[in-house]
Amino acid sequence: GIPCSPSGMLIYIERTLMRLDDSGDVVWARNYTIYPPSSAYRSTRFTEAVQLPDGGFAICGVMGPYGTFVCRVDVQGDPLWTRSYAMYGGYGGPHIHLLGDGGLLLGGRVSAEEGWQGVKLMWLTADGQVQRSLGYADTLEERRPWWIQGFAVGDMTVTSEGPVILQPLWETKCRGTTVVQLDHAGGVTWTTWIGSQRRGNIDVHLGGIDVTPDGSLVLVGRTTEFTDR
């Protein structure tokens, strides 16, 4: 869930949204069904939400087996619009972040039509229209640039310099997470690898990131640095 302004929080569980007050009492609760009519997998799963300046919310998630959507609801949870995007929603699902200009940043994996492997970011307008889409392809070759070895977005945030994304790596000999700072145009500014390639035989999976008021980053996850589990 996420904290809300001026108070309370929004909880998202599978296809349910619940707005709670500061005492934990339910203000409203809604179930949503979002999937293509032709889909054999009639499931809806919210994965992340952001509160918007007008008090409403933009929530991203997975429809059917792997499709990605963004749903816009008002302050009472009533739907305003829903849009689908060419982005793979597996491995944790898509992530969403509010940008300073009122637009949205959507992050996930590239779609099946684009080869499955690699990270994809979409810059959206406030009404969900795609302004720009960038894919960071993963060729699965040994000599590929190490900052694009990950194939999913573990989490992301936005600093004054631009987006920062976490890319967990699960499928090759090394296990760890790449932290990637992008500029506002989507170009790579710097990268930091945390895991076995850089520090020996250590597994590191970072699943959360946030930016502090002074611009530094706070990362959270799990590691085998201190124990074998």
Side-chain angles (χ1 to χ4, degrees):
I2 59 171
C4 297
S5 178
S7 63
M9 66 186 308
L10 181 76
I11 301 292
Y12 41 94
I13 304 173
E14 295 296 331
R15 66 188 189 96
T16 301
L17 298 181
M18 290 186 292
R19 179 68 187 268
L20 309 181
D21 62 22
D22 284 340
S23 299
D25 295 326
V26 177
V27 179
W28 54 257
R30 304 277 191 276
N31 289 327
Y32 302 81
T33 300
I34 303 170
Y35 54 79
S38 60
S39 175
Y41 299 91
R42 300 190 172 187
S43 61
T44 302
R45 179 171 59 88
F46 294 117
T47 58
E48 196 163 48
V50 292
Q51 188 173 24
L52 305 176
D54 65 359
F57 303 91
I59 313 99
C60 66
V62 180
M63 58 181 180
Y66 306 118
T68 293
F69 70 85
V70 173
C71 177
R72 171 77 161 87
V73 303
D74 64 19
V75 68
Q76 297 299 323
D78 296 320
L80 301 177
W81 54 257
T82 301
R83 301 188 190 279
S84 61
Y85 300 91
M87 181 181 290
Y88 177 79
Y91 292 94
H95 297 267
I96 194 168
H97 203 286
L98 180 65
L99 299 174
D101 62 0
L104 300 166
L105 181 65
L106 186 66
R109 281 181 72 177
V110 298
S111 64
E113 292 75 17
E114 298 166 304
W116 294 103
Q117 302 296 336
V119 165
K120 190 170 189 178
L121 297 179
M122 289 184 173
W123 284 257
L124 311 178
T125 61
D127 61 352
Q129 301 288 341
V130 178
Q131 287 184 312
R132 186 168 73 256
S133 177
L134 292 177
Y136 301 83
D138 186 352
T139 63
L140 295 181
E141 296 174 355
E142 289 296 326
R143 296 183 180 180
R144 65 187 183 273
W146 66 268
W147 63 83
I148 57 172
Q149 293 183 69
F151 58 87
V153 175
D155 197 10
M156 65 183 185
T157 189
V158 176
T159 70
S160 59
E161 299 177 6
V164 183
I165 59 177
L166 300 181
Q167 294 177 268
L169 176 61
W170 300 313
E171 290 189 334
T172 59
K173 294 179 181 179
C174 59
R175 296 174 61 87
T177 302
T178 305
V179 184
V180 185
Q181 171 76 65
L182 305 175
D183 59 28
H184 292 288
V188 176
T189 302
W190 56 258
T191 63
T192 296
W193 170 258
I194 303 175
S196 58
Q197 276 189 334
R198 302 289 169 175
R199 300 190 59 190
N201 188 23
I202 299 172
D203 289 350
V204 179
H205 180 96
L206 298 175
I209 185 172
D210 203 355
V211 59
T212 66
D214 66 3
S216 59
L217 298 173
V218 178
L219 310 175
V220 63
R222 61 182 185 266
T223 178
T224 60
E225 183 173 4
F226 309 108
T227 177
D228 59 356
R229 302 187 66 179

